[in-house]
């Protein structure tokens, strides 16, 4: 059965000089309002142990506009400013629910320049989008059509560090489920191969950052030689940003193609619950792990499986997928990362490390689905009573099907 989902459609556009100036001014006001509200909330919490609600923040914004110092806030649309306060409210809600860290101030140089407009702040007529405080529609490059009959409910305008302008339109879309299939696949994320599937297929890691590393290093050297604050330094900075944007775009495109294929071909997709943040603490592998973008891979699989009626099973990070023999179920005591092929001492079966891990992940996921529960082997406990931090425990969960 088809389902209604909210889907964002992102396009590049080319503003006029007047529109660019208006949007830049809006970005600055949004950042200022967010930081001011965060400052007031922080002062009230640490100074008075009092929480400030969204309604109180909105009243503060009204008072700020009446002062001579911040009267320029009335020159831009009020909707993006109110949306900034709502985003701050959401950030604090996530913090108090222990889902995120304490909100941070937005930096002019490092934070994303964006503004969000709701229905009351833009006009959508005959496929042309006109924002508040503007007399002309945006010059959008329609790389793909919007859903038939759909109208945007929210519009987000942004500018990246390379100076490119984008508009993202949130629309109601009807997504039909993918044709039913009985296929299931286990996925082992890696660095030598981006992913290894339980079918034995290995998807090559494109290593987009490494391919452009020489170009990036050259652009960064040129940037370091420019005088701070000069126009030439600004040009050099944009050149570095364009290289980074090229890498990110190619990486995202490859992940979209890969995840779409996996979701279309399989009814059940099984992955590991990797703690990428902890893995990045390894100084020797951090750069390669960031280039592989495992977090984005999982995020794409999550929403695509939800859209197209597929089952995504996530097994516990402590499951010994690499060290577990898929033939007899014996768990090897140690398996260094440089060992890519190993032979089971119990049954004599020779395993490819990644393929064996993918098959074990699939078996664990199917077992968890059959039992209606997740897979969570127990971590070892040291003599001091503290839990060990090993990635893969010595004993596997009983009852898992053998491959």
């Amino acid at each position: 059965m088809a389902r209604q989902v909210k889907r964002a459609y992102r396009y590049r556009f080319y503003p006029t000089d007047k529109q660019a100036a208006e949007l830049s001014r809006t970005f600055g006001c949004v950042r200022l309002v967010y930081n001011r509200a965060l400052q007031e909330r922080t002062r009230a919490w640490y100074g008075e142990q009092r929480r400030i609600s969204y309604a109180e923040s909105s009243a503060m914004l009204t008072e700020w506009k009446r002062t001579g110092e911040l009267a320029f806030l009335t020159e831009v649309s009020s909707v993006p400013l109110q949306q900034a306060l709502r985003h701050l409210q959401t950030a604090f809600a996530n913090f108090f629910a222990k889902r995120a860290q304490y909100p941070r101030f937005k930096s002019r140089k490092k934070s994303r320049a964006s503004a969000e407009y709701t229905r009351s702040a833009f006009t959508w007529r005959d496929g042309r989008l006109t924002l508040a405080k503007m007399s002309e529609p945006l010059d959008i490059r329609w790389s793909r059509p919007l859903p038939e009959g759909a109208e945007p409910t929210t519009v987000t305008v942004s500018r990246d560090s390379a100076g490119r302008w984008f508009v993202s339109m949130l629309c109601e879309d009807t997504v039909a489920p993918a044709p039913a299939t009985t296929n299931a696949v286990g996925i082992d994320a890696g660095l030598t191969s981006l992913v290894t599937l339980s079918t034995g297929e290995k998807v090559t890691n494109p290593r987009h950052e490494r391919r452009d590393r020489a170009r990036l290093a050259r652009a960064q050297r040129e940037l370091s030689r420019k005088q701070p604050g000069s126009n030439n330094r600004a040009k050099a900075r944009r050149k570095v940003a364009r290289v980074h944007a090229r890498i990110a775009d190619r990486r995202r495109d490859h992940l979209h193609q890969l995840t779409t294929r996996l979701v279309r071909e399989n009814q059940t997709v099984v992955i590991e619950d990797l703690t990428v943040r902890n893995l990045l603490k390894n100084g020797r592998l951090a750069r390669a792990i960031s280039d592989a973008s495992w977090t984005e891979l999982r995020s794409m699989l999550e929403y695509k499986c939800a859209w197209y009626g597929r089952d995504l099973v996530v097994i516990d990070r402590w499951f010994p997928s690499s060290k577990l023999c898929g033939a007899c179920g014996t768990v090897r005591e140690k398996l260094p990362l440089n060992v890519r092929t190993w032979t089971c001492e119990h049954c004599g079966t020779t395993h490819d490390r990644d393929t064996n891990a993918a098959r074990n992940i699939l078996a664990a996921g199917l077992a968890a689905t059959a039992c209606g529960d997740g897979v969570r082997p127990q971590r070892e406990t040291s003599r001091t009573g503290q839990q060990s931090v090993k990635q893969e425990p010595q004993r596997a969960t009983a009852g898992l099907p053998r491959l």
Side-chain angles (χ1 to χ4, degrees):
M1 178 182 294
R3 55 182 301 180
Q4 292 287 332
V5 299
K6 288 188 176 182
R7 193 170 186 173
Y9 289 81
R10 186 167 175 257
Y11 304 94
R12 190 171 180 180
F13 74 98
Y14 296 85
T16 63
D17 292 341
K18 185 177 180 180
Q19 290 174 338
E22 177 64 28
L23 289 174
S24 297
R25 187 163 53 249
T26 302
F27 294 159
C29 292
V30 167
R31 184 177 61 252
L32 184 147
V33 168
Y34 185 95
N35 289 342
R36 282 260 181 161
L38 176 55
Q39 182 180 4
E40 290 298 322
R41 281 174 173 258
T42 302
R43 180 193 58 79
W45 174 251
Y46 287 101
E48 308 171 13
Q49 290 296 304
R50 178 175 61 89
R51 296 187 184 184
I52 295 180
S53 64
Y54 164 75
E56 292 177 287
S57 298
S58 182
M60 288 180 184
L61 175 58
T62 303
E63 294 299 325
W64 294 341
K65 290 181 178 180
R66 294 173 179 172
T67 64
E69 179 186 3
L70 300 178
F72 60 87
L73 293 177
T74 59
E75 299 175 2
V76 301
S77 173
S78 62
V79 172
L81 306 184
Q82 293 289 344
Q83 291 300 103
L85 296 180
R86 290 189 174 93
H87 293 164
L88 181 60
Q89 178 67 24
T90 302
F92 270 99
N94 292 333
F95 168 71
F96 288 121
K98 298 183 179 180
R99 292 190 297 264
Q101 296 181 348
Y102 193 82
R104 294 181 293 181
F105 291 96
K106 292 184 179 294
S107 169
R108 183 179 63 179
K109 295 182 179 180
K110 298 181 180 180
S111 299
R112 177 171 174 259
S114 65
E116 185 175 281
Y117 296 79
T118 56
R119 285 180 181 272
S120 60
F122 66 85
T123 302
W124 174 260
R125 184 178 296 114
D126 299 329
R128 298 168 70 86
L129 178 67
T130 305
L131 301 178
K133 302 288 185 177
M134 294 185 184
S135 57
E136 299 178 359
L138 300 181
D139 183 14
I140 302 175
R141 297 295 185 265
W142 299 98
S143 54
R144 56 174 175 168
L146 288 176
E148 186 176 356
E151 293 189 4
T153 58
T154 303
V155 171
T156 302
V157 181
S158 61
R159 182 187 62 215
D160 66 7
S161 56
R164 303 180 300 177
W165 296 83
F166 295 95
V167 57
S168 179
M169 305 182 190
L170 188 65
C171 304
E172 290 284 347
D173 191 13
T174 302
V175 178
T181 178
T182 58
N183 297 336
V185 66
I187 302 175
D188 178 61
L191 297 178
T192 304
S193 300
L194 180 60
V195 294
T196 301
L197 307 183
S198 55
T199 59
E201 178 186 355
K202 293 187 176 183
V203 179
T204 304
N205 188 352
R207 301 182 185 273
H208 297 292
E209 188 272 339
R210 176 177 290 186
R211 292 171 62 182
D212 282 347
R213 188 172 296 176
R215 178 183 300 180
L216 179 61
R218 184 166 55 251
Q220 289 174 331
R221 284 197 300 269
E222 294 176 359
L223 174 62
S224 66
R225 299 189 185 107
K226 306 302 180 183
Q227 183 178 358
S230 65
N231 290 335
N232 285 336
R233 185 176 180 86
K235 294 179 182 178
R237 184 198 58 77
R238 284 193 295 270
K239 186 175 181 180
V240 173
R242 283 196 294 269
V243 178
H244 279 295
R246 168 186 166 90
I247 295 172
D249 289 346
R250 294 169 65 188
R251 180 189 296 128
R252 190 181 305 109
D253 179 69
H254 181 264
L255 291 178
H256 269 300
Q257 294 184 40
L258 173 62
T259 53
T260 298
R261 177 171 72 89
L262 292 174
V263 170
R264 284 179 176 174
E265 295 177 355
N266 301 279
Q267 182 64 39
T268 303
V269 180
V270 188
I271 60 175
E272 284 184 293
D273 183 21
L274 297 176
T275 52
V276 179
R277 180 177 298 179
N278 292 340
L279 295 174
L280 290 175
K281 296 178 182 178
N282 186 330
R284 299 181 61 183
L285 298 177
R287 194 168 191 173
I289 293 174
S290 298
D291 193 21
S293 193
W294 293 337
T295 301
E296 190 169 8
L297 173 69
R298 173 174 174 172
S299 176
M300 290 182 181
L301 285 174
E302 286 178 345
Y303 77 76
K304 289 181 181 181
C305 284
W307 280 359
Y308 298 108
R310 302 309 198 191
D311 299 321
L312 179 66
V313 182
V314 182
I315 69 169
D316 192 87
R317 69 191 64 166
W318 305 107
F319 178 67
S321 57
S322 298
K323 296 189 292 186
L324 174 65
C325 175
C328 67
T330 303
V331 179
R332 181 165 174 163
E333 185 176 355
K334 294 182 179 180
L335 190 63
L337 285 175
N338 62 341
V339 178
R340 310 313 300 175
T341 304
W342 61 281
T343 302
C344 178
E345 298 178 355
H346 186 266
C347 66
T349 305
T350 300
H351 298 287
D352 176 274
R353 179 193 184 105
D354 298 332
T355 304
N356 176 66
R359 290 174 178 172
N360 288 332
I361 290 171
L362 174 61
L366 295 179
T369 303
C371 298
D373 194 7
V375 178
R376 182 173 291 276
Q378 295 297 322
R379 285 178 282 184
E380 293 184 339
T381 303
S382 65
R383 295 180 181 178
T384 60
Q386 295 179 349
Q387 288 182 324
S388 171
V389 293
K390 289 185 179 180
Q391 180 75 11
E392 298 174 342
Q394 296 299 317
R395 296 185 180 181
T397 300
L400 292 181
R402 294 179 180 177
L403 299 177

